[in-house]
Amino acid sequence: MFSGKKYDTNLLVIGAGSAGLISANIAATLKAKVTLIERHKMGGDCLNTGCVPSKTLLRSAKIRHLMNESERYGLKAAEVAVDFPAVMGRVQSVIKHIEPNDSVERYTSLGVDCVSGDAKLISPNKVLVNGETISARHIILAMGARPFIPEIPGLDSIDYLTSDNIWQLEELPKSMLVMGSGAIACEMSQAFSRLGSEVTMVQRSSSILNKEEPEVGEFMLKAFEQEGIQVKLNSKIGEVRKAEGGGIEVFLQDESGGHSWQWYEQILLAVGRKANTDGMGLEEVGVELNADGTVKVDEYLRSSHQNILACGDVAGPYQFTHMASHQAWYATVNSLFGFVKKFKVDYRIVPKAVFTDPEIASVGKLESELKADGVAYEVVHFPLDDMDRALAEGEAKGFIKVLLKDGSDKILGVTIAGAHAAELITEFIHMMKMGKGLNHILGTIHIYPSFSEANKYLAGQWKRKHAPQWALKILQKLHAWRR
């Protein structure tokens, strides 16, 4: 059960992003001796370059968008000037407001030994940091990920943007080319377009948001086109170069063989993220990696060395902050108490959202996955264009799509495209978690007028479709007789 060795700490956590902070917090709460190593900023990507700044920027962009559309609401339009330094200043102020929750001071007060520096594994139980060796019975790898940089001729000769350094912009770009069409690409494209940049998205495939249902990509494509965002599908960047007088020239190619040089002031690369496993000494000490660079872990989040666990983006398979927090509990508990009982990570119900306007949220299976698995299913589709609250707020657009087990009200997957989608989907997530179905949603009182009524209306639509016709015919005769 125990080796005779003594260690400096029970648990050593590398990385102070969402996964690492939760791991350290749980371990300290359970009275273990914990060491947390971070080489850059506490809070990781989510606080400093990801979730927090992006949603703050999107809010400013939406307010300007609404003001520009004020006549829709019976208000006289006014010219809205964008003070971009002030917008970015607000982004930083929100980060500063949240920062104390993730600070060295707070975690030190919780009993965590916080160390600033670059960590490198020199054995399965030892880490070198700042020239000193720290030994630990268990190690949790939570180094997160960074923007993936594609191989494009000329890229090393220009100053390009990623989700890491875009927050250092001091002026609003007159024009911006966004490479990619995932969540980050879509959110940033819409934000900068609404603030006043001329935005062009470039995507290799024939659709955007390809990890969602096909209807989602079509829906958002129309929304972007209506807002003036140019989307080039089936296209790729062949080469880039510095333009004389400033800016960047980009050689764009499409599937038909067409090509041209286009000028943009800035280019944003948003084509995915790569796990931060380089230079950590992982492979040297025998920690096996997957082909994509993530740490290969088992169902308990243990690496090829069972005392070394991984969670968050560095482990995959989902790169969401909420998944990092979810995995952190399993990694920590399995580290500290795995000798008594181990817990398999629960990946059954994993929600996600894209915070464009309208929002996109989904959970569970897609139709394509159910077809591939040979699962019989039913589709319930409910449009959001006639909801009272949505009409009142000028948000009457979008849909809810629910996949049910054939012949049952059991929910297999949900996709929502519309206002407050990330909030609306919570009820479906809860139903799936509790093993409940549409009948339970139908029997629940929903506030009027609210966006959440859509969930109940969808359930009612499904129920009417499946009402027993024989019983209705009997009732019809009964009521006729009683008249």
Side-chain angles (χ1 to χ4, degrees):
M1 185 180 293
F2 295 106
S3 68
K5 296 180 180 179
K6 294 292 183 181
Y7 300 97
D8 298 323
T9 187
N10 294 106
L11 182 64
L12 188 148
V13 182
I14 304 176
S18 299
L21 290 174
I22 295 294
S23 296
N25 194 331
I26 293 172
T29 300
L30 296 174
K31 302 306 178 183
K33 182 173 174 53
V34 189
T35 301
L36 175 63
I37 303 175
E38 171 56 49
R39 66 181 176 186
H40 189 38
K41 292 182 178 180
M42 297 282 284
D45 292 330
C46 185
L47 173 62
N48 298 291
T49 61
C51 310
V52 172
S54 63
K55 278 51 186 179
T56 306
L57 184 71
L58 284 166
R59 183 60 177 171
S60 293
K62 183 171 184 176
I63 290 173
R64 181 176 189 258
H65 178 69
L66 289 173
M67 292 173 73
N68 285 337
E69 291 195 326
S70 60
E71 290 185 357
R72 289 179 54 210
Y73 300 91
L75 306 172
K76 289 186 177 180
E79 184 67 27
V80 183
V82 175
D83 183 346
F84 190 71
V87 170
M88 298 301 271
R90 179 175 178 272
V91 169
Q92 294 304 317
S93 70
V94 172
I95 293 173
K96 291 293 183 185
H97 186 81
I98 299 173
E99 216 169 44
N101 296 328
D102 298 344
S103 65
V104 170
E105 292 76 16
R106 176 170 182 249
Y107 275 78
T108 299
S109 72
L110 294 174
V112 178
D113 182 16
C114 299
V115 179
S116 177
D118 284 300
K120 183 174 182 179
L121 271 71
I122 56 176
S123 83
N125 292 96
K126 293 181 180 179
V127 170
L128 182 66
V129 58
N130 300 329
E132 297 185 4
T133 300
I134 302 174
S135 62
R137 181 174 289 279
H138 286 89
I139 296 171
I140 290 181
L141 305 174
M143 297 87 68
R146 63 186 184 278
F148 173 77
I149 307 302
E151 293 185 4
I152 301 174
L155 194 62
D156 56 356
S157 68
I158 66 168
D159 294 324
Y160 54 84
L161 298 173
T162 68
S163 57
D164 278 357
N165 64 6
I166 198 170
W167 312 108
Q168 297 166 16
L169 282 176
E170 297 178 353
E171 295 181 3
L172 180 69
K174 295 181 180 65
S175 61
M176 178 184 289
L177 180 71
V178 178
M179 183 180 182
S181 70
I184 295 174
C186 287
E187 289 178 7
M188 290 299 95
S189 291
Q190 190 174 51
F192 277 88
S193 174
R194 287 182 166 188
L195 290 172
S197 298
E198 292 184 8
V199 177
T200 300
M201 292 177 63
V202 176
Q203 169 64 9
R204 282 179 172 266
S205 70
S206 59
S207 59
I208 65 174
L209 291 169
N210 292 321
K211 293 183 178 180
E212 306 293 340
E213 294 282 15
E215 301 98 309
V216 168
E218 296 169 7
F219 176 74
M220 286 311 305
L221 191 59
K222 290 179 182 178
F224 285 169
E225 289 173 347
Q226 289 172 359
E227 292 191 21
I229 299 172
Q230 186 177 10
V231 182
K232 293 182 179 293
L233 300 174
N234 301 308
S235 302
K236 65 178 182 179
I237 299 174
E239 185 181 350
V240 296
R241 66 190 182 195
K242 277 187 178 181
E244 293 183 12
I248 302 164
E249 289 183 331
V250 180
F251 189 67
L252 292 176
Q253 302 168 286
D254 61 40
E255 64 176 352
S256 65
H259 56 270
S260 62
W261 285 96
Q262 303 286 336
W263 181 90
Y264 300 92
E265 187 170 345
Q266 296 284 358
I267 178 171
L268 170 65
L269 305 180
V271 290
R273 297 176 64 77
K274 179 177 174 59
N276 287 322
T277 51
D278 297 340
M280 296 291 302
L282 301 181
E283 292 174 288
E284 289 86 340
V285 301
V287 174
E288 192 174 347
L289 303 180
N290 294 308
D292 62 359
T294 55
V295 178
K296 188 173 184 178
V297 295
D298 63 13
E299 54 199 352
Y300 305 107
L301 296 177
R302 299 177 302 181
S303 73
S304 43
H305 284 294
Q306 294 194 359
N307 72 299
I308 300 177
L309 295 88
C311 55
D313 289 1
V314 80
Y318 305 97
Q319 293 187 331
F320 312 134
T321 295
H322 47 280
M323 177 51 68
S325 302
H326 179 69
Q327 288 180 326
W329 183 90
Y330 290 91
T332 307
V333 171
N334 287 337
S335 293
L336 300 178
F337 305 110
F339 65 94
V340 176
K341 179 175 175 59
K342 297 184 293 295
F343 297 86
K344 297 178 181 179
V345 189
D346 184 359
Y347 291 130
R348 291 174 299 169
I349 304 168
V350 181
K352 61 182 183 296
V354 182
F355 292 93
T356 46
D357 179 24
E359 291 179 354
I360 307 298
S362 58
V363 63
K365 297 289 187 177
L366 301 176
E367 267 200 86
S368 58
E369 294 173 322
L370 294 178
K371 288 177 180 177
D373 294 339
V375 177
Y377 66 93
E378 177 187 358
V379 179
V380 184
H381 194 280
F382 185 78
L384 299 175
D385 54 8
D386 199 31
M387 297 296 300
D388 291 3
R389 180 62 182 274
L391 287 164
E393 295 201 9
E395 299 283 5
K397 53 191 171 184
F399 60 87
I400 303 177
K401 178 179 180 179
V402 177
L403 306 177
L404 301 177
K405 182 179 179 180
D406 194 34
S408 166
D409 73 333
K410 182 180 179 181
I411 302 167
L412 302 178
V414 182
T415 295
I416 304 179
H420 310 290
E423 315 300 332
L424 289 177
I425 204 167
T426 300
E427 184 172 24
F428 290 104
I429 296 169
H430 180 67
M431 293 299 115
M432 293 172 74
K433 182 72 174 178
M434 300 302 294
K436 305 291 185 180
L438 291 189
N439 281 315
H440 201 76
I441 292 177
L442 185 60
T444 302
I445 299 173
H446 292 66
I447 292 173
Y448 176 87
S450 69
F451 285 92
S452 67
E453 283 185 295
N455 297 347
K456 184 169 184 174
Y457 288 164
L458 176 141
Q461 174 182 288
W462 168 81
K463 192 70 173 179
R464 285 191 298 274
K465 179 182 177 182
H466 291 275
Q469 296 303 311
W470 63 268
L472 293 177
K473 289 179 180 178
I474 292 174
L475 289 173
Q476 185 178 27
K477 293 179 179 177
L478 171 65
H479 293 314
W481 175 73
R482 296 195 68 194
R483 284 197 300 271

